[in-house]
Amino acid sequence: MTSHASHAIAWPRTDSIGALVARVWLAIVPSVSAQATAQTSRVAVPVSLTGISAVVGIPVMNAARMAVEEANALGNGPPIELDAYDDRGDAAEAREIARRIVASQAQVVMGPGITVSAGTAGPVYNAAGLANIVPHAHGAPEAPTTFRIVFGPADMGEAMANHLFHVLGHRRVAIVFRDNPFGRPIAEGLRRAADRLGLDASLHGFTDPAAAADIATRIGTAQQSGPFAIALCMVEPDAKTVLVALRRTGTKATVIGASPLATDQFARYFQDEPEERRTPGFFVDGVYAVSPIMLDSGNAETLAFAERYRARHGDDPLWNAVQGYDATRLAIAALRATEGIANRDARRTAVVAYLRGIDSPARAVPSLTGPLWFEGVGSRPQAARIGRFRGGTIESAPVQLVPITVPTAAEIASGTLVET
């Protein structure tokens, strides 16, 4: 496994026993508290361990614990301690937990995991100068101490539009979105990309399940000629409502969804529906979804992590867990790079500086989801993968759009490149 904690540690050197004795004698009074602080590296992990978002938060916490245990097993420095917090997927609770973490001895935060929590907790961490590495909340707000390691909502919308247009050949798309801080930015990013590509896009926002079902029924029963797509910019419960209404209209439209749909667990939302009991996969089969990573096309290190996770927890890791593992390893790398700084606030400042220094492809650190670096205010450029459900299971779509930053003349001549 490639470790992020590859930074050399500069220990004090002495030229003689006398010099060592003198150095210890001069430091003997403050050594107890200073040594304890310098040798304690703490990463706080606030995620949703209860509530509706626990289905994601628990796997992320599992992955974070694995990353810490593996780092400690290497013995490359003082032990890393993990402090777990449950924000219950509640914005107010996330803000209160952020205040508690700021008052604690944690030097870096891995979380929160969901957009609503990141929106309320991020400003608290920023005001305290405490770095928080966001693993999978696409809509985490930009702030000087927030480092989001997953693509943003506009990038997700762009990926949907590119796949519909360049790969599936669609020219029209109905964008259905929950009008909230998660769904709205994805829909806006998709619409902007559609305008650029020449996709005929219509926007359909909703604020409650009844309105979502009504929109889906109207779109599904409308007479459509030619290839037609429906994009779902929402989380799982809303997507279930929309898909049930759509499928029951008998529409043949292509459906593509946001990243919360890109897990096998999404198919389980329909297990009690009569159509699903008669025909497994009735609602999800053929549905496309955007994801930062697909395990069936992962590299050797990703597959090795998946095997370790499966052996320990009895299930494949969600893509969110992979992101959580990467985010925790990045937090550990920042802690290893700043060991020896005894003052808590000075250590926090050094951690932020370390993360800010990962600011170009040349300085990228390796991760399971590809080279990891930040641009702008802590935003990560990250390629999007597209999955497709078959038999109630999501797998990599047959064709993927892969970023090529410097194409060769032969690649351009092949006709397989598109400009984005």
Side-chain angles (χ1 to χ4, degrees), residues 16-34:
S16 66
I17 295 177
L20 175 60
V21 171
R23 194 169 292 181
V24 172
W25 177 256
L26 291 173
I28 196 168
V29 174
S31 66
V32 175
S33 60

Side-chain angles (χ1 to χ4, degrees), residues 288-326:
Y288 293 83
V290 185
S291 177
I293 189 169
M294 297 296 300
L295 289 181
D296 62 1
S297 58
N299 58 28
E301 188 180 7
T302 303
L303 296 177
F305 163 74
E307 286 293 336
R308 296 196 305 276
Y309 187 98
R310 190 181 301 113
R312 179 163 179 175
H313 300 291
D315 202 358
D316 287 332
L318 304 180
W319 68 260
N320 315 74
V322 178
Q323 292 282 137
Y325 183 78
D326 276 350

Side-chain angles (χ1 to χ4, degrees), residues 247-396:
R247 293 303 196 213
R248 287 174 178 169
T249 68
T251 181
K252 302 299 182 183
T254 296
V255 177
I256 189 168
S259 62
L261 281 59
T263 70
D264 289 346
Q265 289 190 1
F266 177 60
R268 300 172 192 169
Y269 277 77
F270 304 89
Q271 61 188 3
D272 295 328
E273 300 296 331
E275 297 94 337
E276 185 69 19
R277 289 198 295 268
R278 289 194 301 269
T279 309
F282 176 86
F283 292 100
V284 299
D285 277 1
V287 172
Y288 293 83
V290 185
S291 177
I293 189 169
M294 297 296 300
L295 289 181
D296 62 1
S297 58
N299 58 28
E301 188 180 7
T302 303
L303 296 177
F305 163 74
E307 286 293 336
R308 296 196 305 276
Y309 187 98
R310 190 181 301 113
R312 179 163 179 175
H313 300 291
D315 202 358
D316 287 332
L318 304 180
W319 68 260
N320 315 74
V322 178
Q323 292 282 137
Y325 183 78
D326 276 350
T328 306
R329 292 208 302 179
L330 181 61
I332 292 168
L335 291 175
R336 291 290 189 227
T338 56
E339 286 170 357
I341 301 177
N343 180 272
R344 183 201 68 177
D345 293 341
R347 182 98 179 266
R348 289 176 174 180
T349 299
V351 165
V352 171
Y354 170 85
L355 296 171
R356 282 266 160 254
I358 309 172
D359 59 359
S360 68
R363 297 182 177 182
V365 297
S367 77
L368 300 184
T369 54
L372 197 164
W373 57 281
F374 301 102
E375 63 181 3
V377 186
S379 298
R380 178 194 183 181
Q382 183 186 34
R385 305 288 293 181
I386 302 294
R388 186 179 67 177
F389 279 94
R390 185 174 67 169
T393 299
I394 195 164
E395 57 189 24
S396 293

Side-chain angles (χ1 to χ4, degrees), residues 129-318:
L130 177 58
N132 69 299
I133 302 171
V134 177
H136 59 87
H138 303 282
E142 292 188 346
T145 67
T146 296
F147 299 86
R148 174 174 49 78
I149 73 160
V150 69
F151 50 70
D155 299 322
M156 196 186 323
E158 174 90 14
M160 288 184 184
N162 284 331
H163 201 82
L164 289 174
F165 185 85
H166 293 298
V167 177
L168 301 179
H170 287 296
R171 295 299 178 265
R172 290 180 300 146
V173 58
I175 305 170
V176 185
F177 66 99
R178 165 71 78 161
D179 193 3
N180 67 2
F182 179 77
R184 192 184 316 113
I186 302 172
E188 291 171 350
L190 201 165
R191 181 192 55 77
R192 286 194 298 270
D195 290 346
R196 175 180 55 79
L197 293 168
L199 269 169
D200 180 8
S202 58
L203 287 168
H204 308 269
F206 64 87
T207 56
D208 61 77
D214 181 64
I215 289 170
T217 300
R218 285 191 286 108
I219 293 174
T221 55
Q223 295 297 320
Q224 305 291 348
S225 59
F228 180 69
I230 302 169
L232 309 185
C233 306
M234 59 197 70
V235 297
E236 302 97 311
D238 288 331
K240 176 192 174 183
T241 298
V242 172
L243 267 177
V244 167
L246 277 176
R247 293 303 196 213
R248 287 174 178 169
T249 68
T251 181
K252 302 299 182 183
T254 296
V255 177
I256 189 168
S259 62
L261 281 59
T263 70
D264 289 346
Q265 289 190 1
F266 177 60
R268 300 172 192 169
Y269 277 77
F270 304 89
Q271 61 188 3
D272 295 328
E273 300 296 331
E275 297 94 337
E276 185 69 19
R277 289 198 295 268
R278 289 194 301 269
T279 309
F282 176 86
F283 292 100
V284 299
D285 277 1
V287 172
Y288 293 83
V290 185
S291 177
I293 189 169
M294 297 296 300
L295 289 181
D296 62 1
S297 58
N299 58 28
E301 188 180 7
T302 303
L303 296 177
F305 163 74
E307 286 293 336
R308 296 196 305 276
Y309 187 98
R310 190 181 301 113
R312 179 163 179 175
H313 300 291
D315 202 358
D316 287 332
L318 304 180

Side-chain angles (χ1 to χ4, degrees), residues 100-126:
R100 288 164 51 193
I101 291 174
V102 165
S104 75
Q105 291 301 311
Q107 297 107 0
V108 64
V109 180
M110 196 288 284
I114 62 176
T115 295
V116 64
S117 296
T120 57
V124 179
Y125 297 127
N126 184 52

